[in-house]
PDB file of all heavy atoms in Angstrom:
ATOM      1  N   TYR A 100      13.983  17.022  -4.910  1.00 68.00           N
ATOM      2  CA  TYR A 100      14.545  16.451  -3.699  1.00 68.00           C
ATOM      3  C   TYR A 100      13.621  15.306  -3.325  1.00 68.00           C
ATOM      4  O   TYR A 100      12.664  15.470  -2.573  1.00 68.00           O
ATOM      5  CB  TYR A 100      14.628  17.521  -2.594  1.00 68.00           C
ATOM      6  CG  TYR A 100      15.420  17.045  -1.402  1.00 68.00           C
ATOM      7  CD1 TYR A 100      16.814  17.004  -1.430  1.00 68.00           C
ATOM      8  CD2 TYR A 100      14.776  16.604  -0.248  1.00 68.00           C
ATOM      9  CE1 TYR A 100      17.542  16.553  -0.347  1.00 68.00           C
ATOM     10  CE2 TYR A 100      15.506  16.158   0.848  1.00 68.00           C
ATOM     11  CZ  TYR A 100      16.882  16.134   0.792  1.00 68.00           C
ATOM     12  OH  TYR A 100      17.600  15.678   1.870  1.00 68.00           O
ATOM     13  N   GLY A 125      15.528  10.090   6.914  1.00 87.00           N
ATOM     14  CA  GLY A 125      16.733   9.810   7.694  1.00 87.00           C
ATOM     15  C   GLY A 125      16.839  10.666   8.936  1.00 87.00           C
ATOM     16  O   GLY A 125      17.854  11.324   9.132  1.00 87.00           O
ATOM     17  N   THR A 185      24.939  26.205   9.188  1.00 98.00           N
ATOM     18  CA  THR A 185      23.569  25.760   9.468  1.00 98.00           C
ATOM     19  C   THR A 185      23.367  24.388   8.820  1.00 98.00           C
ATOM     20  O   THR A 185      22.838  24.259   7.728  1.00 98.00           O
ATOM     21  CB  THR A 185      22.574  26.801   8.894  1.00 98.00           C
ATOM     22  OG1 THR A 185      22.956  28.076   9.413  1.00 98.00           O
ATOM     23  CG2 THR A 185      21.157  26.505   9.317  1.00 98.00           C
ATOM     24  N   GLY A 186      23.823  23.362   9.523  1.00 98.00           N
ATOM     25  CA  GLY A 186      23.834  22.010   8.964  1.00 98.00           C
ATOM     26  C   GLY A 186      25.005  21.867   8.002  1.00 98.00           C
ATOM     27  O   GLY A 186      25.536  22.872   7.486  1.00 98.00           O
ATOM     28  N   ALA A 187      25.398  20.605   7.771  1.00 98.00           N
ATOM     29  CA  ALA A 187      26.419  20.376   6.741  1.00 98.00           C
ATOM     30  C   ALA A 187      25.897  20.900   5.411  1.00 98.00           C
ATOM     31  O   ALA A 187      26.673  21.316   4.549  1.00 98.00           O
ATOM     32  CB  ALA A 187      26.737  18.884   6.649  1.00 98.00           C
ATOM     33  N   SER A 188      24.581  20.913   5.240  1.00 98.00           N
ATOM     34  CA  SER A 188      23.977  21.395   3.987  1.00 98.00           C
ATOM     35  C   SER A 188      24.495  22.781   3.614  1.00 98.00           C
ATOM     36  O   SER A 188      24.823  23.039   2.460  1.00 98.00           O
ATOM     37  CB  SER A 188      22.449  21.480   4.109  1.00 98.00           C
ATOM     38  OG  SER A 188      21.909  20.250   4.469  1.00 98.00           O
ATOM     39  N   GLU A 189      24.556  23.677   4.617  1.00 98.00           N
ATOM     40  CA  GLU A 189      25.004  25.032   4.293  1.00 98.00           C
ATOM     41  C   GLU A 189      26.497  25.054   3.950  1.00 98.00           C
ATOM     42  O   GLU A 189      26.932  25.788   3.047  1.00 98.00           O
ATOM     43  CB  GLU A 189      24.717  26.016   5.437  1.00 98.00           C
ATOM     44  CG  GLU A 189      24.880  27.452   4.961  1.00 98.00           C
ATOM     45  CD  GLU A 189      25.009  28.491   6.057  1.00 98.00           C
ATOM     46  OE1 GLU A 189      25.401  28.147   7.179  1.00 98.00           O
ATOM     47  OE2 GLU A 189      24.734  29.669   5.789  1.00 98.00           O
ATOM     48  N   ILE A 191      28.139  22.704   2.501  1.00 98.00           N
ATOM     49  CA  ILE A 191      28.248  22.163   1.140  1.00 98.00           C
ATOM     50  C   ILE A 191      27.888  23.255   0.119  1.00 98.00           C
ATOM     51  O   ILE A 191      28.586  23.487  -0.869  1.00 98.00           O
ATOM     52  CB  ILE A 191      27.314  20.927   0.994  1.00 98.00           C
ATOM     53  CG1 ILE A 191      27.809  19.777   1.892  1.00 98.00           C
ATOM     54  CG2 ILE A 191      27.200  20.484  -0.465  1.00 98.00           C
ATOM     55  CD1 ILE A 191      26.784  18.663   2.146  1.00 98.00           C
ATOM     56  N   TYR A 212      23.639  11.746  -2.595  1.00 94.00           N
ATOM     57  CA  TYR A 212      22.671  12.580  -1.868  1.00 94.00           C
ATOM     58  C   TYR A 212      22.190  13.729  -2.771  1.00 94.00           C
ATOM     59  O   TYR A 212      23.018  14.474  -3.320  1.00 94.00           O
ATOM     60  CB  TYR A 212      23.369  13.102  -0.613  1.00 94.00           C
ATOM     61  CG  TYR A 212      22.513  13.927   0.283  1.00 94.00           C
ATOM     62  CD1 TYR A 212      21.298  13.432   0.755  1.00 94.00           C
ATOM     63  CD2 TYR A 212      22.902  15.202   0.679  1.00 94.00           C
ATOM     64  CE1 TYR A 212      20.503  14.199   1.594  1.00 94.00           C
ATOM     65  CE2 TYR A 212      22.120  15.966   1.525  1.00 94.00           C
ATOM     66  CZ  TYR A 212      20.922  15.453   1.970  1.00 94.00           C
ATOM     67  OH  TYR A 212      20.137  16.209   2.788  1.00 94.00           O
ATOM     68  N   LEU A 214      21.054  16.657  -2.524  1.00 92.00           N
ATOM     69  CA  LEU A 214      21.374  18.076  -2.305  1.00 92.00           C
ATOM     70  C   LEU A 214      22.435  18.555  -3.298  1.00 92.00           C
ATOM     71  O   LEU A 214      22.388  19.690  -3.793  1.00 92.00           O
ATOM     72  CB  LEU A 214      21.897  18.280  -0.874  1.00 92.00           C
ATOM     73  CG  LEU A 214      22.433  19.678  -0.549  1.00 92.00           C
ATOM     74  CD1 LEU A 214      21.301  20.709  -0.530  1.00 92.00           C
ATOM     75  CD2 LEU A 214      23.164  19.700   0.788  1.00 92.00           C
ATOM     76  N   TYR A 215      23.388  17.683  -3.611  1.00 93.00           N
ATOM     77  CA  TYR A 215      24.478  18.095  -4.498  1.00 93.00           C
ATOM     78  C   TYR A 215      23.961  18.463  -5.891  1.00 93.00           C
ATOM     79  O   TYR A 215      24.400  19.444  -6.485  1.00 93.00           O
ATOM     80  CB  TYR A 215      25.539  16.985  -4.590  1.00 93.00           C
ATOM     81  CG  TYR A 215      26.304  16.834  -3.295  1.00 93.00           C
ATOM     82  CD1 TYR A 215      25.952  15.874  -2.362  1.00 93.00           C
ATOM     83  CD2 TYR A 215      27.353  17.688  -2.988  1.00 93.00           C
ATOM     84  CE1 TYR A 215      26.629  15.753  -1.154  1.00 93.00           C
ATOM     85  CE2 TYR A 215      28.041  17.581  -1.789  1.00 93.00           C
ATOM     86  CZ  TYR A 215      27.674  16.615  -0.881  1.00 93.00           C
ATOM     87  OH  TYR A 215      28.346  16.509   0.310  1.00 93.00           O
ATOM     88  N   ILE A 258      30.882  10.718  -0.627  1.00 98.00           N
ATOM     89  CA  ILE A 258      29.990  10.612   0.535  1.00 98.00           C
ATOM     90  C   ILE A 258      30.348   9.290   1.207  1.00 98.00           C
ATOM     91  O   ILE A 258      30.122   8.225   0.659  1.00 98.00           O
ATOM     92  CB  ILE A 258      28.505  10.646   0.118  1.00 98.00           C
ATOM     93  CG1 ILE A 258      28.214  11.892  -0.712  1.00 98.00           C
ATOM     94  CG2 ILE A 258      27.610  10.588   1.347  1.00 98.00           C
ATOM     95  CD1 ILE A 258      26.818  11.943  -1.313  1.00 98.00           C
ATOM     96  N   PRO A 260      30.497   7.311   5.051  1.00 97.00           N
ATOM     97  CA  PRO A 260      29.621   6.335   4.402  1.00 97.00           C
ATOM     98  C   PRO A 260      28.575   7.021   3.522  1.00 97.00           C
ATOM     99  O   PRO A 260      28.198   8.159   3.777  1.00 97.00           O
ATOM    100  CB  PRO A 260      28.926   5.627   5.562  1.00 97.00           C
ATOM    101  CG  PRO A 260      29.734   5.935   6.778  1.00 97.00           C
ATOM    102  CD  PRO A 260      30.407   7.224   6.526  1.00 97.00           C
ATOM    103  N   ASN A 261      28.140   6.268   2.529  1.00 97.00           N
ATOM    104  CA  ASN A 261      27.286   6.873   1.497  1.00 97.00           C
ATOM    105  C   ASN A 261      25.804   6.871   1.865  1.00 97.00           C
ATOM    106  O   ASN A 261      25.304   5.958   2.496  1.00 97.00           O
ATOM    107  CB  ASN A 261      27.495   6.102   0.180  1.00 97.00           C
ATOM    108  CG  ASN A 261      26.676   6.669  -0.965  1.00 97.00           C
ATOM    109  OD1 ASN A 261      25.552   6.238  -1.204  1.00 97.00           O
ATOM    110  ND2 ASN A 261      27.210   7.638  -1.666  1.00 97.00           N
ATOM    111  N   ASN A 262      25.124   7.917   1.468  1.00 96.00           N
ATOM    112  CA  ASN A 262      23.667   7.968   1.411  1.00 96.00           C
ATOM    113  C   ASN A 262      23.372   8.011  -0.087  1.00 96.00           C
ATOM    114  O   ASN A 262      23.866   8.924  -0.738  1.00 96.00           O
ATOM    115  CB  ASN A 262      23.170   9.243   2.110  1.00 96.00           C
ATOM    116  CG  ASN A 262      21.683   9.453   1.976  1.00 96.00           C
ATOM    117  OD1 ASN A 262      20.969   8.619   1.448  1.00 96.00           O
ATOM    118  ND2 ASN A 262      21.216  10.607   2.473  1.00 96.00           N
ATOM    119  N   ASP A 290      32.208  14.275   2.336  1.00 98.00           N
ATOM    120  CA  ASP A 290      31.007  14.360   3.180  1.00 98.00           C
ATOM    121  C   ASP A 290      31.035  13.170   4.133  1.00 98.00           C
ATOM    122  O   ASP A 290      30.771  12.037   3.739  1.00 98.00           O
ATOM    123  CB  ASP A 290      29.777  14.344   2.257  1.00 98.00           C
ATOM    124  CG  ASP A 290      28.474  14.528   3.011  1.00 98.00           C
ATOM    125  OD1 ASP A 290      28.430  14.207   4.215  1.00 98.00           O
ATOM    126  OD2 ASP A 290      27.499  14.977   2.382  1.00 98.00           O
ATOM    127  N   ILE A 292      29.382  12.949   7.163  1.00 98.00           N
ATOM    128  CA  ILE A 292      28.347  13.222   8.162  1.00 98.00           C
ATOM    129  C   ILE A 292      27.922  11.958   8.940  1.00 98.00           C
ATOM    130  O   ILE A 292      27.411  12.040  10.042  1.00 98.00           O
ATOM    131  CB  ILE A 292      27.157  13.931   7.463  1.00 98.00           C
ATOM    132  CG1 ILE A 292      26.124  14.462   8.459  1.00 98.00           C
ATOM    133  CG2 ILE A 292      26.443  13.057   6.459  1.00 98.00           C
ATOM    134  CD1 ILE A 292      26.191  15.919   8.626  1.00 98.00           C
ATOM    135  N   TYR A 293      28.175  10.760   8.356  1.00 98.00           N
ATOM    136  CA  TYR A 293      27.785   9.495   9.032  1.00 98.00           C
ATOM    137  C   TYR A 293      29.006   8.729   9.562  1.00 98.00           C
ATOM    138  O   TYR A 293      28.932   7.527   9.764  1.00 98.00           O
ATOM    139  CB  TYR A 293      27.046   8.584   8.035  1.00 98.00           C
ATOM    140  CG  TYR A 293      25.771   9.162   7.484  1.00 98.00           C
ATOM    141  CD1 TYR A 293      25.754   9.768   6.229  1.00 98.00           C
ATOM    142  CD2 TYR A 293      24.577   9.109   8.204  1.00 98.00           C
ATOM    143  CE1 TYR A 293      24.591  10.312   5.706  1.00 98.00           C
ATOM    144  CE2 TYR A 293      23.406   9.644   7.686  1.00 98.00           C
ATOM    145  CZ  TYR A 293      23.423  10.242   6.452  1.00 98.00           C
ATOM    146  OH  TYR A 293      22.264  10.772   5.945  1.00 98.00           O
ATOM    147  N   GLY A 319      31.140  17.682   8.282  1.00 98.00           N
ATOM    148  CA  GLY A 319      30.620  16.882   9.400  1.00 98.00           C
ATOM    149  C   GLY A 319      29.484  17.635  10.052  1.00 98.00           C
ATOM    150  O   GLY A 319      29.083  18.707   9.580  1.00 98.00           O
ATOM    151  N   GLY A 320      28.977  17.100  11.146  1.00 98.00           N
ATOM    152  CA  GLY A 320      27.895  17.803  11.829  1.00 98.00           C
ATOM    153  C   GLY A 320      27.265  16.984  12.925  1.00 98.00           C
ATOM    154  O   GLY A 320      27.666  15.840  13.172  1.00 98.00           O
ATOM    155  N   LEU A 321      26.274  17.585  13.596  1.00 98.00           N
ATOM    156  CA  LEU A 321      25.615  16.917  14.723  1.00 98.00           C
ATOM    157  C   LEU A 321      24.363  16.144  14.306  1.00 98.00           C
ATOM    158  O   LEU A 321      23.823  15.369  15.087  1.00 98.00           O
ATOM    159  CB  LEU A 321      25.207  17.960  15.786  1.00 98.00           C
ATOM    160  CG  LEU A 321      26.325  18.775  16.454  1.00 98.00           C
ATOM    161  CD1 LEU A 321      25.734  19.659  17.559  1.00 98.00           C
ATOM    162  CD2 LEU A 321      27.407  17.873  17.046  1.00 98.00           C
ATOM    163  N   SER A 322      23.884  16.347  13.059  1.00 97.00           N
ATOM    164  CA  SER A 322      22.569  15.817  12.677  1.00 97.00           C
ATOM    165  C   SER A 322      22.442  14.314  12.829  1.00 97.00           C
ATOM    166  O   SER A 322      21.411  13.826  13.296  1.00 97.00           O
ATOM    167  CB  SER A 322      22.261  16.152  11.214  1.00 97.00           C
ATOM    168  OG  SER A 322      22.099  17.527  11.050  1.00 97.00           O
ATOM    169  N   LYS A 323      23.448  13.581  12.414  1.00 97.00           N
ATOM    170  CA  LYS A 323      23.313  12.120  12.344  1.00 97.00           C
ATOM    171  C   LYS A 323      24.018  11.458  13.517  1.00 97.00           C
ATOM    172  O   LYS A 323      23.391  10.743  14.295  1.00 97.00           O
ATOM    173  CB  LYS A 323      23.869  11.601  11.018  1.00 97.00           C
ATOM    174  CG  LYS A 323      23.394  12.385   9.795  1.00 97.00           C
ATOM    175  CD  LYS A 323      21.916  12.196   9.499  1.00 97.00           C
ATOM    176  CE  LYS A 323      21.481  13.078   8.335  1.00 97.00           C
ATOM    177  NZ  LYS A 323      20.162  12.805   7.834  1.00 97.00           N
ATOM    178  N   PRO A 328      19.180  16.542  14.095  1.00 96.00           N
ATOM    179  CA  PRO A 328      19.124  17.201  12.772  1.00 96.00           C
ATOM    180  C   PRO A 328      18.390  18.538  12.819  1.00 96.00           C
ATOM    181  O   PRO A 328      18.700  19.433  12.037  1.00 96.00           O
ATOM    182  CB  PRO A 328      18.400  16.172  11.892  1.00 96.00           C
ATOM    183  CG  PRO A 328      17.788  15.179  12.809  1.00 96.00           C
ATOM    184  CD  PRO A 328      18.598  15.188  14.071  1.00 96.00           C
ATOM    185  N   ARG A 331      20.322  21.952  13.264  1.00 98.00           N
ATOM    186  CA  ARG A 331      20.964  22.501  12.057  1.00 98.00           C
ATOM    187  C   ARG A 331      22.395  22.971  12.369  1.00 98.00           C
ATOM    188  O   ARG A 331      22.734  24.149  12.189  1.00 98.00           O
ATOM    189  CB  ARG A 331      20.123  23.657  11.445  1.00 98.00           C
ATOM    190  CG  ARG A 331      18.663  23.378  11.206  1.00 98.00           C
ATOM    191  CD  ARG A 331      18.381  22.128  10.357  1.00 98.00           C
ATOM    192  NE  ARG A 331      19.001  22.168   9.062  1.00 98.00           N
ATOM    193  CZ  ARG A 331      19.828  21.194   8.629  1.00 98.00           C
ATOM    194  NH1 ARG A 331      20.113  20.137   9.379  1.00 98.00           N
ATOM    195  NH2 ARG A 331      20.358  21.278   7.422  1.00 98.00           N
ATOM    196  N   ILE A 332      23.213  22.045  12.823  1.00 98.00           N
ATOM    197  CA  ILE A 332      24.614  22.371  13.081  1.00 98.00           C
ATOM    198  C   ILE A 332      25.520  21.445  12.266  1.00 98.00           C
ATOM    199  O   ILE A 332      25.447  20.215  12.393  1.00 98.00           O
ATOM    200  CB  ILE A 332      24.955  22.233  14.598  1.00 98.00           C
ATOM    201  CG1 ILE A 332      24.302  23.362  15.403  1.00 98.00           C
ATOM    202  CG2 ILE A 332      26.476  22.222  14.821  1.00 98.00           C
ATOM    203  CD1 ILE A 332      24.908  24.749  15.213  1.00 98.00           C
ATOM    204  N   GLY A 333      26.346  22.043  11.432  1.00 98.00           N
ATOM    205  CA  GLY A 333      27.325  21.287  10.662  1.00 98.00           C
ATOM    206  C   GLY A 333      28.605  22.096  10.574  1.00 98.00           C
ATOM    207  O   GLY A 333      28.710  23.180  11.164  1.00 98.00           O
ATOM    208  N   TYR A 414      20.937   3.515   5.730  1.00 97.00           N
ATOM    209  CA  TYR A 414      20.219   3.360   4.465  1.00 97.00           C
ATOM    210  C   TYR A 414      20.636   2.077   3.748  1.00 97.00           C
ATOM    211  O   TYR A 414      21.780   1.650   3.855  1.00 97.00           O
ATOM    212  CB  TYR A 414      20.558   4.512   3.515  1.00 97.00           C
ATOM    213  CG  TYR A 414      20.388   5.880   4.110  1.00 97.00           C
ATOM    214  CD1 TYR A 414      21.507   6.614   4.517  1.00 97.00           C
ATOM    215  CD2 TYR A 414      19.128   6.442   4.274  1.00 97.00           C
ATOM    216  CE1 TYR A 414      21.360   7.876   5.074  1.00 97.00           C
ATOM    217  CE2 TYR A 414      18.978   7.701   4.830  1.00 97.00           C
ATOM    218  CZ  TYR A 414      20.097   8.418   5.225  1.00 97.00           C
ATOM    219  OH  TYR A 414      19.949   9.657   5.775  1.00 97.00           O
ATOM    220  N   ARG A 456      15.254   3.428  -2.033  1.00 97.00           N
ATOM    221  CA  ARG A 456      16.032   3.571  -0.804  1.00 97.00           C
ATOM    222  C   ARG A 456      15.152   3.304   0.397  1.00 97.00           C
ATOM    223  O   ARG A 456      14.033   3.820   0.478  1.00 97.00           O
ATOM    224  CB  ARG A 456      16.618   4.984  -0.681  1.00 97.00           C
ATOM    225  CG  ARG A 456      17.597   5.078   0.498  1.00 97.00           C
ATOM    226  CD  ARG A 456      17.977   6.504   0.848  1.00 97.00           C
ATOM    227  NE  ARG A 456      16.892   7.197   1.536  1.00 97.00           N
ATOM    228  CZ  ARG A 456      17.022   8.390   2.113  1.00 97.00           C
ATOM    229  NH1 ARG A 456      18.170   9.033   2.054  1.00 97.00           N
ATOM    230  NH2 ARG A 456      15.994   8.957   2.705  1.00 97.00           N
TER     231      ARG A 456
HETATM  232  C1  PLP B 212      25.180  12.663   2.760  1.00 74.11           C
HETATM  233  C2  PLP B 212      24.518  13.782   3.482  1.00 74.11           C
HETATM  234  N1  PLP B 212      25.139  14.966   3.569  1.00 74.11           N
HETATM  235  C3  PLP B 212      24.576  16.002   4.198  1.00 74.11           C
HETATM  236  C4  PLP B 212      23.323  15.890   4.770  1.00 74.11           C
HETATM  237  C5  PLP B 212      22.720  17.105   5.414  1.00 74.11           C
HETATM  238  O1  PLP B 212      23.148  17.201   6.741  1.00 74.11           O
HETATM  239  P1  PLP B 212      22.731  18.411   7.687  1.00 74.11           P
HETATM  240  O2  PLP B 212      21.520  17.979   8.436  1.00 74.11           O
HETATM  241  O3  PLP B 212      23.916  18.574   8.593  1.00 74.11           O
HETATM  242  O4  PLP B 212      22.480  19.586   6.829  1.00 74.11           O
HETATM  243  C6  PLP B 212      22.633  14.681   4.715  1.00 74.11           C
HETATM  244  C7  PLP B 212      21.291  14.558   5.279  1.00 74.11           C
HETATM  245  O5  PLP B 212      20.583  13.602   5.114  1.00 74.11           O
HETATM  246  C8  PLP B 212      23.252  13.593   4.052  1.00 74.11           C
HETATM  247  O6  PLP B 212      22.644  12.417   3.945  1.00 74.11           O
END
Side-chain angles (χ1 to χ4, degrees):
Y100 190 77
T185 307
S188 303
E189 193 196 23
I191 294 164
Y212 182 54
L214 173 69
Y215 290 97
I258 305 173
N261 181 268
N262 174 5
D290 184 335
I292 189 105
Y293 299 99
L321 298 185
S322 293
K323 313 291 176 170
R331 309 306 302 125
I332 289 289
Y414 308 103
R456 188 192 75 171

